[in-house]
Amino acid sequence: MANPIISIEVMGLKEAEQMFKNLGADLPHALREATMKAGLHVEKEVKASISGRRDEPESVDTGIFRSSVKTIETAPFEVKVLSDVEYAKYLEWGTHNPGGGWKIAPRRHFTNTLHNNQKTIRDILAAEVNIAVKKYQINRLKSFFSPSKFFKTL
């Protein structure tokens, strides 16, 4: 696989996992799901950018570039949104004419998408962690107030 143009690593998730490890076994799973969900959101937005539905110019000729954008989990709590087509880097960063000036102007589909979606990414991560915490709290309350703890079988 080619090197990614942009690598997205959400910092602090491992620390959050450690901080919340007493919440139960569901939290690490929720954090991994949240990381993937955030990556998939970025992937969708990059594809929209490539299609010309964001500020950057459209970069669709055959559709191969847009179709090549994917999200992969590279480690627990880390995903990368990338394209493995060779010319992706030229579209992202541009190319220069030997005499000066741009041959292909940079289109920054990945860079601008990441910049424009930072708050949404944080919101996705926070929402998924909150759901896991609430589930844990509800399950703890259910087990605490279990009828078997208050009544003996007759």
Side-chain angles (χ1 to χ4, degrees):
M1 181 178 302
N3 289 330
I5 295 173
I6 298 293
S7 174
I8 300 170
E9 180 179 357
V10 180
M11 305 300 292
L13 286 177
K14 290 177 185 173
E15 292 81 2
E17 177 193 16
Q18 185 65 34
M19 186 172 79
F20 291 118
K21 82 178 191 180
N22 292 334
L23 290 175
D26 287 343
L27 189 62
H29 177 72
L31 289 172
R32 287 179 85 165
E33 291 282 320
T35 306
M36 181 56 76
K37 191 172 187 178
L40 291 171
H41 171 77
V42 171
E43 176 186 329
K44 179 186 75 151
E45 289 297 308
V46 167
K47 288 179 177 182
S49 175
I50 291 168
S51 299
R53 295 193 313 262
R54 300 296 180 266
D55 293 338
E56 297 77 18
E58 181 179 2
S59 297
V60 177
D61 185 18
T62 62
I64 293 172
F65 175 42
R66 181 181 52 218
S67 297
S68 73
V69 176
K70 58 187 165 251
T71 303
I72 58 169
E73 183 179 50
T74 54
F77 320 115
E78 180 181 314
V79 297
K80 290 186 180 179
V81 179
L82 56 91
S83 168
D84 56 5
V85 298
E86 180 60 30
Y87 57 88
K89 60 187 170 192
Y90 304 123
L91 291 171
E92 184 73 13
W93 303 111
T95 60
H96 283 96
N97 283 317
W102 292 108
K103 184 174 184 178
I104 299 174
R107 300 193 184 169
R108 307 273 199 255
H109 299 295
F110 289 85
T111 307
N112 290 340
T113 296
L114 182 58
H115 175 76
N116 294 335
N117 284 276
Q118 289 181 23
K119 182 184 180 316
T120 303
I121 293 166
R122 283 192 304 271
D123 290 347
I124 289 169
L125 296 171
E128 294 299 312
V129 169
N130 284 333
I131 289 168
V133 169
K134 286 177 184 172
K135 278 184 186 176
Y136 173 75
Q137 290 170 335
I138 289 168
N139 289 336
R140 292 273 303 187
L141 285 172
K142 284 179 181 177
S143 67
F144 180 76
F145 289 110
S146 168
S148 63
K149 290 186 177 185
F150 296 103
F151 302 105
K152 291 185 178 182
T153 307
L154 300 175

